[in-house]
């Protein structure tokens, strides 16, 4: 009897875990990157490890992509992505992308300018302080999150 109860509890816990992880269904992230950039590939892997589906487009026209997506030059980094009507520029942590998507905010650019060490995809053994910026057309960029915490 005790083993049946334990089995039922285990199955219930497993089902609850599956349900809670599937409550948030991430939309597809489309990312444009240089074909030779390894840190961009590492960022895509970070996003996938956090439950996002990433579709990668390799291009040598990254500046044109950034202009088309409305990324201000001061916020530019090595790759540009779109998800849920927003633009994600550079090595933005998945948790910040998720937070933006869950906020139901108007379209925005979420960016980590440059390529700071320690940001997702830039794990080099060194960790720099960096900020994730939120920018909307017609406004000033504001700090969305600071790292390391």
């Amino acid at each position: 009897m005790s083993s049946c109860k334990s089995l039922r509890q285990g199955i219930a816990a497993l089902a609850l875990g599956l349900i809670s992880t599937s409550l948030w269904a991430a939309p597809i992230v489309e990312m444009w990157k240089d074909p030779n950039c390894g840190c961009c590939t590492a960022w895509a892997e970070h996003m996938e490890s956090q439950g996002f589906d990433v579709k990668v487009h390799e291009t040598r026209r990254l500046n044109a992509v950034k202009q088309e997506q409305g990324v201000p030059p001061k916020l530019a980094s090595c790759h540009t992505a779109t998800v849920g009507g927003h633009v994600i520029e550079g090595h933005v942590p998945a948790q910040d992308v998720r937070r933006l998507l869950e906020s139901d905010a108007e379209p925005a650019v979420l960016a980590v300018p440059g390529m700071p060490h320690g940001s997702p995809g830039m794990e080099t053994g060194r960790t720099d302080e960096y900020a994730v910026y939120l920018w909307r057309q017609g406004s000033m960029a504001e700090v969305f999150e600071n790292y390391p915490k």
Side-chain angles (χ1 to χ4, degrees):
M1 237 7 163
S2 176
S3 63
C4 287
K5 183 177 179 183
S6 296
L7 180 60
R8 281 195 305 269
Q9 288 173 338
I11 290 171
L14 177 62
L16 184 58
L18 292 174
I19 291 168
S20 66
T21 58
S22 67
L23 288 177
W24 188 80
I28 294 173
V29 174
E30 293 212 37
M31 180 182 82
W32 290 265
K33 69 180 251 344
D34 183 279
N36 298 313
C37 188
C39 68
C40 298
T41 301
W43 181 80
E45 291 168 354
H46 160 75
M47 295 298 286
E48 289 172 338
S49 76
Q50 298 299 307
F52 288 88
D53 289 322
V54 181
K55 181 176 180 181
V56 177
H57 305 278
E58 294 187 346
T59 182
R60 298 208 185 272
R61 299 181 49 247
L62 281 172
N63 286 335
V65 170
K66 291 174 190 322
Q67 287 178 345
E68 290 165 9
Q69 296 300 331
V71 176
K74 285 185 173 184
L75 297 180
S77 185
C78 60
H79 59 268
T80 302
T82 59
V83 61
H86 302 287
V87 177
I88 310 301
E89 180 68 12
H91 296 270
V92 176
Q95 65 194 24
D96 294 328
V97 174
R98 185 175 288 118
R99 187 173 125 208
L100 177 66
L101 292 171
E102 290 173 348
S103 72
D104 292 326
E106 63 187 77
V109 174
L110 200 58
V112 172
M115 299 166 62
H117 293 270
S119 60
M122 288 294 296
E123 294 89 353
T124 61
R126 181 176 117 195
T127 302
D128 296 339
E129 289 184 12
Y130 68 95
V132 176
Y133 293 93
L134 176 72
W135 179 80
R136 289 190 176 92
Q137 187 71 37
S139 67
M140 299 290 292
E142 60 187 65
V143 174
F144 189 78
E145 191 62 68
N146 283 302
Y147 291 91
K149 293 182 183 183

